Amino acid sequence: MSTVKIPPVLRQAAGGERTVEAKGANVGEVLTALCEAHPAIGKQILTSDGELHKFVNVYVNDEDARLMQWTDTPVGDDDTLLILPAMAGGQ
Amino acid sequence: MKLSPGLAETIIVHAREEFPNECCGLVAGRDGVATRVLPAINTEGTPFMYVMDPREQMDLMEQIEDSGEDLLAIYHSHTRSAAYPSKTDVELAFFAEPLYVIVSLQDENTPVIRAFHLERSAAEGEQITEQPVEIN
């Protein structure tokens, strides 16, 4: 299982955990497993269509997953993912 | 949120430095009292949008957490509109706990600072709740 680092903003949704373990062969599968285990996180980071919100960043071992294969990026037991919702807006 | 005049001025100066583009940053504090303003980079660099640099965002959030402070607010400027959340501000408000502080430079001689709790998943009409900003 991969390790997912939970930033403070999502910690309450993860039951207060700083890190959680989630199973999956790629980023998408890990995030699906995470959101199934912690539906409150899914509410925060997924769109109403169940897609990862485009303003949510995911890092795999500190590398931007969007610059890799995004949700198809393969991950294993030694990998650490970080979910980071953007601070963004506009007038 | 309580904000000293000096910290309020730091936010206003940042907004003026970035004008006509939007600025953004964080406010750290304890028990609702601001202790520090941490300006950040708006990677969009436009008058219409702000997106904080994600790595800087993470670094600043960790700095605040490591120092035992709270993330009191995320601030940004509105350079041509009032200090009130736009539809985009609400749609992209992933952070339910910290306040969203908006500094408006619509009237350049009279900057206005207001703060809001934003809940993007709340029903329409219940997404924006203004919170008092006490500057003294």
Side-chain angles (χ1 to χ4, degrees), chain B residues 79-92:
Chain B
T79 54
R80 299 162 196 270
S81 60
Y84 193 80
S86 66
K87 191 178 171 196
T88 308
D89 289 335
V90 176
E91 284 173 356
L92 298 180

PDB file of all heavy atoms in Angstrom, chain B residues 79-92:
ATOM      1  N   THR B  79      -8.563  43.821  -7.436  1.00  0.00           N
ATOM      2  CA  THR B  79      -8.025  45.116  -7.853  1.00  0.00           C
ATOM      3  C   THR B  79      -9.076  46.023  -8.486  1.00  0.00           C
ATOM      4  O   THR B  79      -8.890  47.228  -8.557  1.00  0.00           O
ATOM      5  CB  THR B  79      -6.870  44.903  -8.842  1.00  0.00           C
ATOM      6  OG1 THR B  79      -7.334  44.082  -9.914  1.00  0.00           O
ATOM      7  CG2 THR B  79      -5.697  44.225  -8.155  1.00  0.00           C
ATOM      8  N   ARG B  80     -10.166  45.408  -8.964  1.00  0.00           N
ATOM      9  CA  ARG B  80     -11.183  46.216  -9.646  1.00  0.00           C
ATOM     10  C   ARG B  80     -12.587  45.972  -9.112  1.00  0.00           C
ATOM     11  O   ARG B  80     -13.545  46.468  -9.708  1.00  0.00           O
ATOM     12  CB  ARG B  80     -11.190  45.879 -11.153  1.00  0.00           C
ATOM     13  CG  ARG B  80      -9.882  46.156 -11.844  1.00  0.00           C
ATOM     14  CD  ARG B  80      -9.818  45.413 -13.155  1.00  0.00           C
ATOM     15  NE  ARG B  80      -8.456  45.364 -13.651  1.00  0.00           N
ATOM     16  CZ  ARG B  80      -7.932  46.277 -14.450  1.00  0.00           C
ATOM     17  NH1 ARG B  80      -8.647  47.294 -14.842  1.00  0.00           N
ATOM     18  NH2 ARG B  80      -6.684  46.165 -14.851  1.00  0.00           N
ATOM     19  N   SER B  81     -12.701  45.182  -8.089  1.00  0.00           N
ATOM     20  CA  SER B  81     -14.036  44.883  -7.571  1.00  0.00           C
ATOM     21  C   SER B  81     -14.024  44.960  -6.045  1.00  0.00           C
ATOM     22  O   SER B  81     -12.972  45.099  -5.424  1.00  0.00           O
ATOM     23  CB  SER B  81     -14.507  43.504  -8.043  1.00  0.00           C
ATOM     24  OG  SER B  81     -13.625  42.500  -7.589  1.00  0.00           O
ATOM     25  N   ALA B  82     -15.196  44.846  -5.475  1.00  0.00           N
ATOM     26  CA  ALA B  82     -15.352  45.002  -4.028  1.00  0.00           C
ATOM     27  C   ALA B  82     -14.702  43.838  -3.276  1.00  0.00           C
ATOM     28  O   ALA B  82     -14.397  42.787  -3.857  1.00  0.00           O
ATOM     29  CB  ALA B  82     -16.834  45.082  -3.689  1.00  0.00           C
ATOM     30  N   ALA B  83     -14.525  44.043  -1.989  1.00  0.00           N
ATOM     31  CA  ALA B  83     -13.943  43.001  -1.129  1.00  0.00           C
ATOM     32  C   ALA B  83     -15.025  41.997  -0.760  1.00  0.00           C
ATOM     33  O   ALA B  83     -15.457  41.897   0.396  1.00  0.00           O
ATOM     34  CB  ALA B  83     -13.331  43.633   0.119  1.00  0.00           C
ATOM     35  N   TYR B  84     -15.479  41.287  -1.777  1.00  0.00           N
ATOM     36  CA  TYR B  84     -16.523  40.283  -1.574  1.00  0.00           C
ATOM     37  C   TYR B  84     -16.198  39.100  -2.482  1.00  0.00           C
ATOM     38  O   TYR B  84     -15.755  39.302  -3.621  1.00  0.00           O
ATOM     39  CB  TYR B  84     -17.897  40.867  -1.923  1.00  0.00           C
ATOM     40  CG  TYR B  84     -19.030  39.992  -1.442  1.00  0.00           C
ATOM     41  CD1 TYR B  84     -19.446  40.015  -0.107  1.00  0.00           C
ATOM     42  CD2 TYR B  84     -19.654  39.099  -2.319  1.00  0.00           C
ATOM     43  CE1 TYR B  84     -20.459  39.182   0.342  1.00  0.00           C
ATOM     44  CE2 TYR B  84     -20.671  38.266  -1.877  1.00  0.00           C
ATOM     45  CZ  TYR B  84     -21.071  38.312  -0.550  1.00  0.00           C
ATOM     46  OH  TYR B  84     -22.064  37.479  -0.107  1.00  0.00           O
ATOM     47  N   PRO B  85     -16.405  37.867  -1.992  1.00  0.00           N
ATOM     48  CA  PRO B  85     -15.989  36.698  -2.788  1.00  0.00           C
ATOM     49  C   PRO B  85     -16.720  36.611  -4.128  1.00  0.00           C
ATOM     50  O   PRO B  85     -17.942  36.789  -4.193  1.00  0.00           O
ATOM     51  CB  PRO B  85     -16.379  35.509  -1.893  1.00  0.00           C
ATOM     52  CG  PRO B  85     -16.492  36.073  -0.515  1.00  0.00           C
ATOM     53  CD  PRO B  85     -16.956  37.482  -0.690  1.00  0.00           C
ATOM     54  N   SER B  86     -15.953  36.335  -5.171  1.00  0.00           N
ATOM     55  CA  SER B  86     -16.534  36.108  -6.489  1.00  0.00           C
ATOM     56  C   SER B  86     -17.027  34.660  -6.568  1.00  0.00           C
ATOM     57  O   SER B  86     -16.744  33.841  -5.689  1.00  0.00           O
ATOM     58  CB  SER B  86     -15.467  36.333  -7.561  1.00  0.00           C
ATOM     59  OG  SER B  86     -14.464  35.321  -7.429  1.00  0.00           O
ATOM     60  N   LYS B  87     -17.732  34.368  -7.645  1.00  0.00           N
ATOM     61  CA  LYS B  87     -18.189  32.987  -7.876  1.00  0.00           C
ATOM     62  C   LYS B  87     -16.982  32.048  -7.928  1.00  0.00           C
ATOM     63  O   LYS B  87     -17.001  30.957  -7.364  1.00  0.00           O
ATOM     64  CB  LYS B  87     -18.963  32.945  -9.194  1.00  0.00           C
ATOM     65  CG  LYS B  87     -19.706  31.673  -9.429  1.00  0.00           C
ATOM     66  CD  LYS B  87     -20.486  31.736 -10.740  1.00  0.00           C
ATOM     67  CE  LYS B  87     -21.043  30.353 -11.043  1.00  0.00           C
ATOM     68  NZ  LYS B  87     -21.488  30.213 -12.425  1.00  0.00           N
ATOM     69  N   THR B  88     -15.912  32.499  -8.591  1.00  0.00           N
ATOM     70  CA  THR B  88     -14.701  31.657  -8.680  1.00  0.00           C
ATOM     71  C   THR B  88     -14.081  31.456  -7.308  1.00  0.00           C
ATOM     72  O   THR B  88     -13.618  30.362  -6.984  1.00  0.00           O
ATOM     73  CB  THR B  88     -13.661  32.317  -9.617  1.00  0.00           C
ATOM     74  OG1 THR B  88     -14.308  32.618 -10.850  1.00  0.00           O
ATOM     75  CG2 THR B  88     -12.486  31.406  -9.878  1.00  0.00           C
ATOM     76  N   ASP B  89     -14.065  32.516  -6.500  1.00  0.00           N
ATOM     77  CA  ASP B  89     -13.515  32.378  -5.135  1.00  0.00           C
ATOM     78  C   ASP B  89     -14.242  31.266  -4.379  1.00  0.00           C
ATOM     79  O   ASP B  89     -13.619  30.478  -3.666  1.00  0.00           O
ATOM     80  CB  ASP B  89     -13.668  33.689  -4.348  1.00  0.00           C
ATOM     81  CG  ASP B  89     -12.733  34.781  -4.838  1.00  0.00           C
ATOM     82  OD1 ASP B  89     -11.687  34.456  -5.413  1.00  0.00           O
ATOM     83  OD2 ASP B  89     -13.067  35.959  -4.628  1.00  0.00           O
ATOM     84  N   VAL B  90     -15.557  31.231  -4.514  1.00  0.00           N
ATOM     85  CA  VAL B  90     -16.347  30.220  -3.793  1.00  0.00           C
ATOM     86  C   VAL B  90     -16.106  28.833  -4.384  1.00  0.00           C
ATOM     87  O   VAL B  90     -15.895  27.859  -3.651  1.00  0.00           O
ATOM     88  CB  VAL B  90     -17.849  30.575  -3.826  1.00  0.00           C
ATOM     89  CG1 VAL B  90     -18.678  29.474  -3.171  1.00  0.00           C
ATOM     90  CG2 VAL B  90     -18.099  31.906  -3.125  1.00  0.00           C
ATOM     91  N   GLU B  91     -16.102  28.758  -5.711  1.00  0.00           N
ATOM     92  CA  GLU B  91     -15.919  27.452  -6.365  1.00  0.00           C
ATOM     93  C   GLU B  91     -14.582  26.817  -6.007  1.00  0.00           C
ATOM     94  O   GLU B  91     -14.449  25.597  -5.985  1.00  0.00           O
ATOM     95  CB  GLU B  91     -16.013  27.607  -7.890  1.00  0.00           C
ATOM     96  CG  GLU B  91     -17.427  27.785  -8.384  1.00  0.00           C
ATOM     97  CD  GLU B  91     -17.493  28.097  -9.878  1.00  0.00           C
ATOM     98  OE1 GLU B  91     -16.424  28.254 -10.511  1.00  0.00           O
ATOM     99  OE2 GLU B  91     -18.601  28.192 -10.389  1.00  0.00           O
ATOM    100  N   LEU B  92     -13.584  27.655  -5.747  1.00  0.00           N
ATOM    101  CA  LEU B  92     -12.234  27.123  -5.482  1.00  0.00           C
ATOM    102  C   LEU B  92     -11.862  27.200  -4.004  1.00  0.00           C
ATOM    103  O   LEU B  92     -10.692  27.102  -3.650  1.00  0.00           O
ATOM    104  CB  LEU B  92     -11.203  27.880  -6.331  1.00  0.00           C
ATOM    105  CG  LEU B  92     -11.396  27.734  -7.842  1.00  0.00           C
ATOM    106  CD1 LEU B  92     -10.325  28.506  -8.598  1.00  0.00           C
ATOM    107  CD2 LEU B  92     -11.378  26.266  -8.267  1.00  0.00           C
TER     108      LEU B  92
END
